[in-house]
Structures are given as C-alpha cells and as structure tokens.
C-alpha cells in the first residue's frame, strides 16, 4: 500500500486528480464513488475538462453502488448524483450512456446484480471513500471478502450517516442497495482511497495496520497490489506507525 498523509482535503484531492488526469486514456473505465469524500476530486476533474486537460468523452464511469427503491428522479439516487457531477460537455465530457450504475429499480434485483457484475469486468482506476465502520461501496461489516455484485442491507449506522443527504430523516434512507462486492472492487487495476475526518480514523487504522477481516471490509485491500491511501491528519490519527508514514509519504 502507498500511504500519503495530507495536511488537508484539498491536498488529497489535488494528488488524486493529478494521478487520474495523468493516467487517463480514451476508453478508460473509471470506477466512481459517491458520498461527500470525492466531491472535491470531481470538481478538479471538471476544472481540468474546462481547461482542455482531461476528458471522459469516449470513456466510461462505473458506480460502486445504488440504493434500492428510490424514485428514478430522486436527487440522492446515485445515478442522479453522478450524472450531476460528471455527465455532459459542461462537466467531464462523459456521455449519459457511458455512466453505468446498478439498476436499483429493477423488479428482479438479483438479475440486475448479475448483469452489473458481468458488464463491469474490471475498471482501470477505482476511486473509493470509506465508512466509519470500514465499509467500501456498500459492503457492510461481516459480508464475504469474496463477494461479487449483490443486493445488500445497510446498517443502521450507515443509514444514520447518510441521513444528512435526506434532510436528516433516517427513515427516508433506503434499507437495501445494490453494491459491487469486494471481489468486484479488487479487480480494479488501480485504487485510490480517500479518507477525511476523525470519524474515519479507526477504519483507516484497521485498513492499514489491522488484520484482514470481513468485519473491517476495507482491509481486503491489503491484498491488492496497487492501492494508494490518501488520508488527512484526523483520519490518520489512530495509526500506530504514523511517523514512519509521514517520513516516507510515498506518492
Ligand atoms: P462519505 O461516505 O464520503 O460521505 O464520508 C463514505 C462511505 O460511506 O463510503
């Protein structure tokens, strides 16, 4: 794992966006996360597109997950969130038909999960956030480390964390989702995980220094050959070997 401790979110977004811009090619498959963590990164990709330095035209973007049961036009549906961030010539040049999200409104959710798993193959670059309980995508603690795209159930903790996107109303956060599995995420050729804030500190410590465990799903990334962790000081605050990581800051 490459570990880079940053002094701010902005520094992490600068580094992550530079890496994506440097490695982008027409036809690339970019794995995209939702939540608040990657928003500054997407803003930088839009800026780079506006300046002619980056484009997702002719490339594709693949969501990690999608809620089940939201109205198709619900602004917090992840397809709608990602469309607003990335799609169109005024954003990153990504075409609507090249934005791929699991179909959370399917009547046969298992079939939708299988279809997504088959379609995604492997992405070239995956952007990840992390939950306070160590989840990546919507892979909650105790799920299989070998899972593929599946129907999942959100923990109460995750629904409470996401209630801020639903006017603070936990009851309107869906209970079910479709999510890439951990094995799906592990097929990405390269992964950049961003973590900000004190509430991520335990999860980051487990991710980098803990044993691999289904109870801390992100720890599966210890088996991936090309992962970069970008964490701010608060998110890094429970790391035991923090001085070592700081000294080598190995981007
Ligand atoms: P956040 O969510 O980016 O909104 O903190 C991360 C996650 O739950 O994966």
């Amino acid at each position: 794992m490459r570990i880079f401790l940053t002094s701010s979110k902005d520094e992490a977004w600068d580094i992550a966006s530079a890496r994506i811009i440097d490695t982008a090619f027409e036809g690339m498959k970019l794995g995209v996360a939702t939540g608040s963590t990657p928003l500054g990164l997407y803003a930088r990709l839009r800026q780079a597109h506006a300046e002619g330095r980056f484009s997702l035209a002719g490339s594709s973007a693949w969501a990690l997950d999608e809620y089940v049961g939201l109205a198709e036009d619900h602004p917090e549906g992840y397809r709608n969130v990602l469309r607003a961030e990335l799609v169109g010539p005024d954003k990153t040049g990504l075409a609507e038909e090249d934005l791929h999200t699991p179909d959370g409104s399917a009547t046969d959710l298992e079939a939708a999960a299988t279809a997504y798993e088959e379609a995604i193959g492997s992405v070239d670059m995956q952007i990840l956030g992390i939950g306070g309980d160590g989840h990546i995508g919507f892979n909650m603690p105790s799920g299989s480390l070998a899972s593929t795209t599946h129907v999942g159930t959100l923990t109460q903790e995750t629904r409470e964390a996401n209630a801020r996107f639903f006017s603070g109303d936990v009851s309107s956060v869906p209970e079910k989702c479709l999510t890439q599995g951990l094995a799906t995420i592990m097929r990405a050729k390269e992964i950049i995980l961003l973590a900000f804030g004190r509430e991520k500190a335990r999860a980051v410590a487990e991710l980098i220094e803990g044993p691999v465990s289904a109870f801390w799903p992100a720890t599966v990334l210890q088996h991936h050959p090309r992962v970069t962790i970008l964490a701010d000081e608060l998110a890094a605050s429970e790391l035991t070997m923090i001085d070592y990581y700081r000294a080598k800051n190995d981007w």
Side-chain angles (χ1 to χ4, degrees):
M1 268 176 183
R2 294 194 300 176
I3 300 161
F4 201 105
L5 306 184
T6 65
S7 56
S8 65
K9 291 183 193 183
D10 281 316
E11 187 187 1
W13 287 327
D14 284 345
I15 292 169
S17 59
R19 175 73 190 158
I20 291 167
I21 291 164
D22 283 353
T23 57
F25 58 93
E26 193 178 340
M28 98 181 284
K29 296 170 90 169
L30 180 64
V32 287
T34 46
S36 50
T37 301
L39 293 179
L41 167 57
Y42 298 148
R44 281 158 176 75
L45 296 182
R46 290 193 299 272
Q47 181 67 27
H49 182 257
E51 293 167 3
R53 295 185 288 117
F54 173 74
S55 176
L56 286 177
S59 294
S60 57
W62 298 79
L64 284 167
D65 43 22
E66 179 59 282
Y67 291 117
V68 165
L70 285 184
E72 220 156 282
D73 61 352
H74 195 294
E76 292 307 326
Y78 286 163
R79 183 170 189 87
N80 297 329
V81 169
L82 290 167
R83 178 187 294 121
E85 293 293 320
L86 300 173
V87 170
D90 57 330
K91 302 283 169 53
T92 66
L94 182 70
E96 171 76 26
E97 63 271 24
D98 291 326
L99 171 61
H100 300 271
T101 52
D103 183 2
S105 60
T107 41
D108 186 341
L109 291 169
E110 301 290 345
T114 303
Y116 197 71
E117 181 70 18
E118 285 172 1
I120 191 168
S122 60
V123 298
D124 295 292
M125 171 71 80
Q126 177 67 56
I127 300 160
L128 290 178
I130 186 169
D133 59 1
H135 71 247
I136 49 175
F138 272 143
N139 291 280
M140 300 290 131
S142 82
S144 166
L145 293 175
S147 59
T148 53
T149 304
H150 59 280
V151 184
T153 303
L154 274 58
T155 59
Q156 183 63 16
E157 182 190 10
T158 296
R159 292 181 69 219
E160 282 166 12
N162 288 7
R164 66 190 194 281
F165 298 115
F166 291 82
S167 313
D169 177 15
V170 181
S171 68
S172 47
V173 182
E175 292 172 17
K176 297 280 182 191
C177 62
L178 279 172
T179 181
Q180 287 188 38
L182 294 174
T184 324
I185 294 169
M186 288 289 284
R187 286 203 305 271
K189 297 189 179 91
E190 178 171 349
I191 296 174
I192 297 178
L193 184 147
L194 303 162
F196 305 132
R198 180 74 191 82
E199 62 278 14
K200 306 294 173 70
R202 174 85 196 275
V204 167
E206 294 289 341
L207 161 61
I208 295 173
E209 298 179 339
V212 174
S213 161
F215 198 64
W216 292 95
T219 60
V220 74
L221 299 177
Q222 291 178 25
H223 285 294
H224 193 286
R226 213 164 161 72
V227 177
T228 301
I229 315 289
L230 292 160
D232 70 2
E233 284 178 14
L234 288 171
S237 59
E238 289 190 29
L239 288 165
T240 309
M241 289 180 56
I242 191 159
D243 292 337
Y244 173 68
Y245 308 133
R246 226 179 239 133
K248 70 176 181 140
N249 245 3
D250 62 357
W251 181 251

